[in-house]
Each structure stands twice: as C-alpha cells, then as structure tokens.
Amino acid sequence: RSFLQQYKDTPPLADEKWDFGDGSTGVTRSDGNARKLNPEGYGRIRHTYAKPGRYLVKVERPDATMYLDVVVH
C-alpha cells in the first residue's frame, strides 16, 4: 500500500509540498537536474497508506499546483 513518486522537476530549486489525501503531508526538494548529476536533481517521496482506497494527492510548488489520482489496493 505504498506510494512512491520519483520525478524530474523543473528549475528553479524549490520545495514541493505534498498532501497525500489521507491527512498526511510531506515536503521534497528538487532542482530539476539544472546542475548535472546533482543528487538533489530528482525529487523522491514515499508514502504508505493505512487502507486501500482512492486518494487525490496534491503537490504544490511556488509556481504550480499538480494533482495525482492514486488508487491503493
């Protein structure tokens, strides 16, 4: 029941604030690989849901808000 998201984001370096749709939150940081081979170039976050269901995950950056539809079996 885990959710793992690895992504290459777009510069500039910024925090991504995550709302997993079950009352849990998290923060990641990525520079979009603006500096080649930078270990912070890719964001990665893992979340484990307590029970199966459908969750709307919200990701906020200073310049954008994104939504992911996550189904947990």
Side-chain angles (χ1 to χ4, degrees):
R1 295 186 186 151
S2 288
F3 168 78
L4 173 65
Q5 179 71 32
Q6 184 169 341
Y7 57 93
K8 182 176 176 182
D9 212 341
T10 55
L13 184 65
D15 287 342
E16 290 94 20
K17 296 177 184 175
W18 295 75
D19 178 339
F20 294 100
D22 65 351
S24 300
T25 60
V27 176
T28 57
R29 178 170 280 240
S30 169
D31 77 349
N33 208 25
R35 291 180 288 148
K36 275 207 174 288
L37 304 177
N38 177 14
E40 291 183 355
Y42 289 87
R44 181 180 173 115
I45 193 161
R46 179 185 305 269
H47 177 68
T48 301
Y49 289 95
K51 56 185 177 181
R54 189 172 190 173
Y55 300 90
L56 183 62
V57 177
K58 180 179 178 182
V59 186
E60 289 184 284
R61 288 181 49 93
D63 59 346
T65 300
M66 297 155 282
Y67 295 90
L68 302 165
D69 185 22
V70 176
V71 177
V72 179
H73 298 279

